[in-house]
């Protein structure tokens, strides 16, 4: 009896170690293929340099969708199709301007501003008003009586001491999202927001403003860190100063956009889906290289590498280039709605939308048993620099699927130190992406998806 | 009896957990200080932008030594002193040139070359000869009879599939180090070496050539990757082609250089030393930002942070800015010789010379028990992204101390993906360094050194 048990145990252990070895060999093949023959970097060059900005509703969006179809076909997808959705159509209009008006003649350099996404414009006459600087919502509330008729300047700094910069972003972003409406309730006429960044340059960083239903919509702009510090001193030293803002943003009628989807049909469970994707749109003032051209080309690269290696997944792999993440996430909503309506069976959904930097692991959100299964694969992933699986979360786009039908989700966790230097700013360009870092992200994604496909969740 | 044992165990566990908690709090204080108030980035800006290149024997070296003294004083060192050593004095001379000579009129663009460090010059007449391309030393040996009178082009590529790029460097660097002498033994008149890099640009990367005693010294130059690929095609398609090389390098008499050393005196064991350092010299064609301005300013930052926080180490902390790592390592040799001659007791020596990129861990080389002690601190270091302690090794400079008197040694392991893009090339400039990545490296170093100081090895 004992002997049999030992034999069974030995066989089990042999099988396990054989599976581990096969997985490890297959992942090594995938990594070698991507590090040697990846098209991700060249794909990104074309997307960023020949198309560039591609906000929902823009011509860039339309061109990017065509690019996506072609790139997925070139990567060898079994089929490629578009999933239509209505997307918002916000435009910046002619370049916004901010001018300091003062009796003093010194320090009259204009501020370099960027309207926040979805912001209303100032109208042709602009908005000219004195400025009140606050460091927090608490200070805003305390000084509520001073706010009426003024421009509120939220000068809340990014926290330096978080090691993971997404924590600083999570902490500060409320001033961008809610700042306008909270100030408008006290009678403010516009807001200026210190950019959500650690950068050492002066680029303003845009991003969506979210207007509350119960407050007037007032214009909202961002300024870079050097201007923010300069402006803060100016406010303190020059009580006569006013700020003149001219922004020309408009919200046009919703228009048609598309998720671009390429698939490899599953060999054993074609009706079980594994989704991997990034978002195809980008803010209008940048090339959208890290955010999120990187996630798109990495997702396409997963498919290309599988095809090049003759890996046929058991489940159907769907590469989804989501529409309109930046100012609406209508693409993700559509994808999730349709999955629910069709009662699709989704095994896992993985996103890359945290930059094309050197990968360190994955954020995961799913039942504990499924998470434990992924964690058990850590030894297979560690040789690729992937050690961090502790954080809960997934990306914005796969989050819709997670909430709609409970799909286990994850997001690639690249090193975050450089991300907010370029996030939503004109500095988010192809040159800021390193070829090998981008490719290692694709290796990480392809490896995890391979394991999920082979072993289920 | 059992009760007592349990009590003792419980106390032990309490003490351990208390120590862990105190360590964890102290490391958090150190990290907060560095991430909030670090001078490392500004120090690096001054070193790279006002001094720049600082090869041994150059005026830049002399200026950098003065800078180092002042920076260490400003950081609060208890004392700062110079340790004199003789250093080699190699100069590039006027910019080197390489011209393709051919009956064909197409493709006549000159190659962008850089003489290898310590290389002899071609003399005023230059060297003009046909070229033989080889992919390896094996091919060189096989084709030995073809080599006489020719320029050998080593076109050995960096391996793409290593995840850690130092493995690719370790694999390829023999062609730079030994290539000239091995070709010279077969009668070659000069060598051209494909640069040791993954970069997507065309910068040539210099670095030392090591001439063998038993071969003629022939000129050696590097070319960038785009030129290497172009040159390779040209060699295949144009048998009449010759290459004309003009390099103007000279080896001048040895001169005087210095290690720059700043200390904090130990409060309990002032005669036990912990060394931390980088090398102050850099190649002449770059600002030496990652290699190794970063290591210098990080080491100084460790001292500054301790002083700012009132941390007085038990052992004497020595920050050493080593002289002449790039083409002689005479500073490191001197430091080790003197430590041995004075019978100094060195507890640990840590180097940062792998770039100012986001840190991932440490290479370590020491007895297994000491290594195990450091590994036991992993949970304290993981919150700072430090997980990789598996590799054996230390830096070039602390290696001398390790070999001379057996000092346990280590080296910061930053992410390596971008390092060889800029290593020894004109692209190694301040702008390639990210402020927070640099600071996190200093956090890692300060944390590990704190633990070694507190608990010994």
């Amino acid at each position: 009896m004992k002997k049999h048990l030992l034999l069974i145990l030995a066989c089990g252990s042999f099988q396990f170690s054989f599976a581990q070895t096969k997985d490890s060999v297959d992942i090594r093949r995938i990594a070698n293929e991507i590090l040697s023959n990846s098209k991700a970097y060249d794909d990104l060059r074309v997307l960023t340099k020949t198309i560039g900005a591609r906000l929902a509703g823009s011509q860039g969006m339309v061109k990017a969708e065509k690019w996506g179809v072609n790139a997925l076909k070139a990567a060898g997808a079994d089929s490629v199709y578009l999933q239509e959705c209505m997307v918002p159509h916000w435009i910046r209009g002619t370049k916004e301007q901010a001018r300091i008006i003062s009796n003093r003649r010194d320090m009259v350099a204009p501020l370099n501003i960027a309207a926040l996404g979805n912001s209303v414009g100032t109208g042709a006459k602009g908005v000219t008003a004195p400025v009140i600087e606050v460091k927090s919502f608490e200070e805003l509330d305390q000084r509520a009586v001073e706010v009426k008729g003024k421009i509120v300047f939220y000068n809340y700094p990014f926290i330096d001491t978080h090691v993971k910069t997404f924590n600083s972003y999570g902490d500060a972003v409320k001033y961008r999202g809610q700042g306008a409406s909270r100030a408008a309730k006290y009678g403010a006429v516009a807001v200026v927001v210190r950019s959500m960044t650690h950068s050492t340059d002066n680029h303003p960083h845009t991003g969506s403003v979210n207007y509350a239903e119960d407050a007037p919509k007032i214009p909202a702009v961002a300024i870079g860190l050097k201007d923010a510090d300069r402006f803060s001193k100016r406010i303190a030293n020059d009580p006569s100063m006013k700020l003149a803002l001219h922004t020309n943003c408009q919200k046009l009628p919703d228009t048609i956009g598309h998720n671009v989807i390429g698939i490899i049909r599953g060999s054993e469970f074609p009706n079980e889906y594994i989704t991997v994707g990034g978002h195809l749109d980008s803010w209008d003032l940048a090339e959208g290289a890290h955010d999120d051209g990187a996630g798109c080309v990495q997702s396409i690269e997963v498919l290309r590498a599988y095809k090049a290696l003759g890996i046929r997944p058991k489940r159907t792999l769907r590469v989804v280039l989501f529409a309109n993440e930046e100012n609406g996430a209508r693409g993700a909503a559509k994808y999730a709605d349709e999955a629910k309506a069709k009662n699709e069976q989704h095994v896992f959904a993985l996103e890359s939308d945290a930059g094309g930097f050197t990968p360190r692991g994955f954020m995961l959100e799913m039942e504990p048993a499924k998470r434990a299964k992924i964690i058990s694969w850590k030894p297979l992933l560690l040789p690729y620099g992937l050690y961090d699986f502790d954080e809960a979360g997934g990306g914005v786009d796969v989050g819709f699927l997670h909430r709609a039908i409970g799909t286990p989700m994850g997001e690639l966790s690249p090193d975050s130190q450089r991300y907010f230097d370029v996030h939503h700013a004109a500095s988010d360009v192809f040159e800021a992406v390193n070829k090998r870092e981008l490719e290692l992200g694709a290796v990480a994604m392809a490896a995890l998806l391979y394991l999920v496909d082979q072993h289920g969740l």
Side-chain angles (χ1 to χ4, degrees), chain A:
Chain A
M1 183 67 187
K2 267 192 176 166
K3 210 171 164 186
H4 284 167
L5 187 64
L6 275 175
L7 198 65
I8 290 165
L9 282 171
C11 283
S13 153
F14 170 76
Q15 282 180 346
F16 176 75
S17 110
F18 176 76
Q20 289 271 311
T21 305
K22 182 180 181 317
D23 286 339
S24 137
V25 168
D26 285 346
I27 290 173
R28 186 70 249 182
R29 283 176 66 220
I30 291 170
N32 288 356
E33 170 61 26
I34 293 175
L35 291 170
S36 303
N37 303 317
S38 169
K39 298 286 178 290
Y41 192 66
D42 278 339
D43 280 351
L44 187 63
R45 186 198 319 266
V46 174
L47 178 63
T48 54
K49 292 299 181 191
T50 69
I51 299 172
R54 46 195 182 277
L55 193 60
S58 68
Q59 287 194 15
M61 174 194 78
V62 177
K63 289 180 191 168
E65 290 174 357
K66 283 185 187 153
W67 167 88
V69 169
N70 290 333
L72 280 161
K73 284 182 181 167
D78 292 343
S79 72
V80 181
Y81 58 97
L82 299 172
Q83 186 176 41
E84 188 178 306
C85 57
M86 294 307 289
V87 294
H89 190 186
W90 176 85
I91 58 168
R92 184 173 303 275
T94 51
K95 173 81 181 115
E96 54 277 271
Q97 292 188 317
R99 202 159 39 88
I100 288 173
I101 296 173
S102 166
N103 298 331
R104 285 172 51 180
R105 294 288 169 194
D106 56 326
M107 299 164 64
V108 290
L111 298 176
N112 182 20
I113 61 167
L116 294 183
N118 294 346
S119 173
V120 296
T122 60
K125 284 167 57 185
V127 170
T128 301
V131 181
I132 175 171
E133 173 181 337
V134 297
K135 290 274 195 280
S136 65
F137 285 141
E138 291 67 38
E139 186 181 349
L140 179 82
D141 292 340
Q142 283 158 14
R143 298 176 63 187
V145 293
E146 300 174 57
V147 169
K148 194 171 160 64
K150 292 199 181 127
I151 294 171
V152 171
F153 170 37
Y154 289 104
N155 195 16
Y156 181 79
F158 233 43
I159 294 177
D160 282 327
T161 52
H162 288 307
V163 173
K164 295 181 175 181
T165 62
F166 279 88
N167 294 329
S168 308
Y169 184 66
D171 171 68
V173 74
K174 57 183 176 287
Y175 295 99
R176 190 190 77 205
Q178 308 162 30
S181 290
R182 291 185 66 153
K185 284 183 190 170
Y186 294 132
V189 293
V191 298
V192 176
V193 182
R194 182 186 177 94
S195 287
M196 319 282 125
T197 180
H198 285 297
S199 74
T200 54
D201 61 38
N202 194 38
H203 286 291
H205 295 238
T206 192
S208 281
V209 59
N210 304 313
Y211 289 122
E213 296 290 329
D214 58 348
K217 292 182 178 178
I218 60 173
V221 306
I223 57 175
L225 266 49
K226 289 184 179 179
D227 271 358
D229 292 341
R230 194 166 62 90
F231 193 44
S232 178
K233 280 190 196 138
R234 181 72 188 220
I235 291 166
N237 295 335
D238 184 3
S240 74
M241 186 199 73
K242 291 183 179 181
L243 184 68
L245 289 177
H246 281 85
T247 69
N248 308 288
C249 327
Q250 273 184 281
K251 197 87 182 264
L252 305 179
D254 285 4
T255 182
I256 295 172
H258 303 88
N259 296 325
V260 181
I261 302 175
I263 68 162
I264 305 181
R265 212 157 287 117
S267 59
E268 290 185 30
F269 314 109
N271 295 324
E272 293 186 15
Y273 298 102
I274 294 176
T275 296
V276 59
H279 65 84
L280 192 50
D281 62 315
S282 81
W283 282 107
D284 59 312
L285 46 63
E287 291 175 9
H290 280 291
D291 186 14
D292 183 24
C296 290
V297 301
Q298 287 171 326
S299 299
I300 296 168
E301 177 62 19
V302 171
L303 187 151
R304 191 204 65 78
Y306 285 4
K307 279 288 178 176
L309 292 169
I311 293 173
R312 182 145 181 222
K314 294 178 181 175
R315 281 106 181 151
T316 292
L317 178 76
R318 275 201 196 143
V319 177
V320 184
L321 314 181
F322 289 98
N324 176 229
E325 190 270 348
E326 292 294 6
N327 62 338
R330 303 275 187 84
K334 177 71 178 188
Y335 186 73
D337 286 351
E338 201 166 299
K340 187 171 186 179
K342 291 184 174 174
N343 202 21
E344 287 176 356
Q345 197 182 339
H346 284 259
V347 176
F348 184 52
L350 178 66
E351 182 162 334
S352 168
D353 186 19
F357 299 97
T358 187
R360 286 186 177 264
F362 293 96
M363 298 177 77
L364 300 170
E365 196 143 325
M366 58 192 67
E367 296 160 33
K370 294 181 194 292
R371 169 186 283 268
K373 189 162 185 180
I374 290 183
I375 303 278
S376 77
W377 298 327
K378 272 177 81 165
L380 292 163
L381 299 170
L382 187 61
Y384 305 92
L386 306 166
Y387 67 97
D388 186 359
F389 299 78
D390 292 340
E391 281 191 282
V396 168
D397 286 321
V398 300
F400 280 79
L401 197 63
H402 177 74
R403 288 189 300 275
I405 57 172
T407 306
M409 68 172 176
E411 183 173 17
L412 183 69
S413 284
D415 192 274
S416 69
Q417 301 311 318
R418 294 174 185 241
Y419 188 58
F420 291 100
D421 287 358
V422 302
H423 179 248
H424 295 184
S427 47
D428 184 10
V429 294
F430 178 69
E431 291 78 3
V433 178
N434 176 274
K435 181 174 185 287
R436 283 182 57 87
E437 292 187 359
L438 180 75
E439 290 169 359
L440 281 171
V443 168
M445 294 160 68
L448 177 60
L449 293 170
Y450 177 82
L451 291 168
V452 171
D453 178 65
Q454 287 293 305
H455 305 294
L457 265 191

